[in-house]
């Protein structure tokens, strides 16, 4: 009942937003599909197995698949808001299992493609890839840009070095290195039919990490906003709806290979980022830029408190300058930043009991006030 009440409350919020002409999350899947991907002559309807489907990426992906005439089959543990998910996607086949143990529900069936957006360890991915080999045409795996060894290269493309520098592979650990090993399991099982996608931080309606949502909410509140680093620092992200549309496009075209998945199409500076969000707000707002070293001294570190971007220095020199030209050439199109910010803000306002203090990323109001005061005192 609690899940159903939450679902109904969010649905009511989205319906109200629709009346104002704003795009409500999940409500208009056709509007969320980038127009550039609506090309004639796309592949026949596909049977697509989605490993996951109940988290952040999954609902957007399933909506896009359905809107474009494909048939998804879902595989998950059956634990994440099952009543709400049944309301969102009634009638879909849902196979229950656990990637850390029982995947027997996948032993039967054939699909044109599988989208793996829940695989984390190489053991998980090896088990599903080997089980599905010979019964699936294409394996699309959601990796991460964290697979790269460092960000010091002037051009960070898909051929940059991967994994932990100077550490034997048998000792690799952590999110990025494990994803490297997982990628290898996919390509080993599907040498001619593997598609590896390495997204930047994913943002948009439904994102409960709040890494970018913090900025949409904080700038909408107005007042003096603390911003880290320099106005020229690079920022990259990907709207989850653009990710979902690109995934389906890759499946429809049977496209294989490795793709960095970042937006926007042209380089984006931190100043352009915050002022782009400012465009969707109406109240007074000002930005105070504080250098990274000063903020580090207060415990407000890039990649942690300020999760959307890092200081461009050391191993992170070109963090936020990933080369996305291959994905753009393959058909990626992106929402404008203002649309992403606006739609995510609408979704966030519909979250039950949401308030600024409940954001999962960014400094608290007290931390921001303290940092602003200390910065002003230091700089007169």
């Amino acid at each position: 009942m609690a899940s159903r009440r939450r679902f109904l409350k969010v649905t009511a919020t989205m319906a109200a937003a629709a009346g104002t002409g704003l795009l409500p999350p999940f409500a208009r899947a056709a509007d969320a599909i980038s127009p550039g991907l609506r090309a004639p002559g796309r592949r026949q309807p596909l049977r697509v197995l989605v490993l996951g489907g109940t988290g952040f990426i999954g609902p957007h992906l399933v909506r896009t698949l359905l809107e474009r005439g494909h048939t998804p089959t879902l595989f998950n543990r059956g634990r994440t808001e099952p009543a709400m998910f049944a309301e969102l996607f009634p009638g879909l086949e849902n196979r229950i299992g656990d990637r850390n143990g029982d995947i027997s529900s996948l032993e039967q069936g054939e699909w044109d493609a599988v989208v793996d957006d829940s695989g984390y360890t190489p053991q998980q991915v090896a088990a599903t890839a080997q089980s599905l080999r010979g019964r699936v045409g294409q394996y699309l795996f959601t990796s991460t840009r964290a697979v790269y060894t460092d960000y010091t290269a002037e051009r960070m493309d898909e051929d940059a070095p991967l994994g932990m520098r100077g550490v034997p592979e048998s000792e690799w650990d952590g999110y990025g290195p494990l994803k490297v090993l997982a990628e290898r399991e996919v390509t080993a099982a599907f040498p001619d039919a593997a598609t590896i996608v390495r997204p930047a931080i994913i943002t948009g309606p439904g994102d409960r990490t709040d890494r970018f949502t913090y900025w949409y909410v904080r700038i909408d509140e107005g007042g003096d906003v603390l911003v880290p680093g320099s106005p020229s620092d690079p920022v990259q992200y990907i709207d989850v709806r653009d990710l979902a549309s690109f995934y389906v496009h890759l499946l429809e075209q049977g496209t294989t290979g490795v793709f960095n998945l970042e937006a926007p199409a042209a380089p984006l500076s931190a100043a352009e980022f915050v002022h782009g969000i400012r465009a969707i707000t109406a109240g007074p707002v000002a930005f105070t830029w504080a250098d990274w070293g000063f903020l580090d001294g207060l415990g407000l570190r890039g990649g942690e408190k300020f999760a959307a971007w890092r200081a461009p220095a050391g191993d992170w020199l070109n963090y936020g300058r990933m080369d996305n030209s291959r994905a753009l050439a393959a058909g990626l199109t992106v929402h404008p930043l203002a649309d992403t910010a606006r739609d995510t803000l609408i979704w966030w306002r519909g979250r039950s009991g949401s308030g600024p203090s409940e954001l999962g990323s960014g400094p608290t109001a007290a931390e921001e006030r303290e940092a602003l005061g200390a910065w002003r005192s230091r700089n007169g």
Side-chain angles (χ1 to χ4, degrees):
M1 288 301 297
S3 295
R4 182 173 177 81
R5 284 195 296 271
R6 284 194 293 273
F7 173 81
L8 293 174
K9 181 171 182 178
V10 172
T11 302
T13 302
M14 293 190 294
T20 68
L22 298 179
L23 173 68
F26 304 143
R28 296 191 208 150
D31 290 347
I33 297 172
S34 301
L37 301 185
R38 292 182 172 278
R42 68 187 186 192
R43 291 174 62 188
Q44 62 186 5
L46 302 173
R47 299 161 300 163
V48 181
L49 173 63
V50 179
L51 302 179
T54 59
F56 175 32
I57 297 174
H60 291 279
L61 175 63
V62 173
R63 284 281 187 187
T64 306
L65 286 166
L66 291 171
E67 184 65 26
R68 288 159 73 156
H70 306 303
T71 302
T73 298
L74 310 181
F75 173 84
N76 51 66
R77 294 176 298 174
R79 300 176 184 175
T80 305
E81 301 277 13
M84 184 185 295
F85 200 73
E87 292 274 5
L88 286 172
F89 305 118
L92 290 188
E93 181 182 1
N94 191 24
R95 301 194 180 191
I96 304 301
D98 189 335
R99 301 193 68 174
N100 291 318
D102 182 12
I103 60 169
S104 59
S105 64
L106 296 178
E107 292 176 354
Q108 301 295 323
E110 294 183 352
W111 295 270
D112 298 295
V114 57
V115 177
D116 184 350
D117 63 22
S118 63
Y120 172 60
T121 68
Q123 293 80 13
Q124 291 172 337
V125 175
T128 55
Q130 292 298 328
S131 174
L132 295 170
R133 185 167 60 173
R135 296 185 291 117
V136 167
Q138 181 178 357
Y139 199 116
L140 190 157
F141 178 61
T142 301
S143 186
T144 171
R145 69 174 176 182
V147 296
Y148 294 110
T149 302
D150 62 51
Y151 294 80
T152 58
E154 183 176 348
R155 183 185 181 194
M156 288 296 299
D157 62 15
E158 289 84 352
D159 298 321
L162 307 177
M164 300 179 73
R165 180 169 44 204
V167 178
E169 289 187 14
S170 60
E171 299 177 15
W172 283 8
D173 195 13
Y175 182 61
L178 289 179
K179 283 282 195 178
V180 176
L181 300 177
E183 287 184 9
R184 293 180 183 173
E185 296 295 342
V186 174
T187 55
F190 291 81
D192 300 314
T195 304
I196 308 295
V197 183
R198 297 168 179 163
I201 292 177
I202 305 169
T203 183
D207 176 20
R208 293 186 176 273
T209 70
D210 296 330
R211 291 174 292 181
F212 273 84
T213 306
Y214 166 80
W215 294 105
Y216 312 146
V217 174
R218 178 64 192 89
I219 293 171
D220 182 61
E221 288 176 343
D224 194 0
V225 178
L226 177 68
V227 188
S230 166
S232 63
D233 288 347
V235 177
Q236 282 181 314
Y237 61 93
I238 187 68
D239 187 310
V240 65
R241 298 165 298 180
D242 297 325
L243 176 147
S245 289
F246 184 58
Y247 277 19
V248 177
H249 178 67
L250 292 174
L251 299 183
E252 289 173 345
Q253 302 301 315
T255 304
T256 59
V258 182
F259 299 92
N260 288 335
L261 191 56
E262 285 88 16
L268 180 75
S269 70
E272 291 168 329
F273 174 70
V274 296
H275 284 283
I277 299 169
R278 171 69 179 85
I280 69 164
T281 67
V285 61
F287 300 111
T288 295
W289 298 83
D291 67 60
W292 288 105
F294 172 82
L295 294 173
D296 282 350
L298 297 178
L300 304 179
R301 297 179 177 85
E304 296 177 11
K305 276 293 183 177
F306 293 105
W309 68 84
R310 296 175 181 264
D315 284 350
W316 303 102
L317 181 63
N318 287 307
Y319 186 84
R321 293 194 180 96
M322 301 296 296
D323 187 323
N324 59 2
S325 58
R326 187 182 295 182
L328 292 169
L332 171 67
T333 58
V334 299
H335 280 75
L337 172 59
D339 287 355
T340 299
R342 178 198 64 195
D343 299 342
T344 308
L345 189 59
I346 292 170
W347 166 79
W348 185 85
R349 288 170 178 161
R351 284 164 57 175
S352 177
S354 291
S357 63
E358 297 179 30
L359 284 163
S361 183
T364 66
E367 288 172 333
E368 184 183 36
R369 284 194 301 271
E370 179 184 355
L372 286 168
W375 180 255
R376 294 187 186 107
S377 296
R378 195 188 82 163
N379 294 281

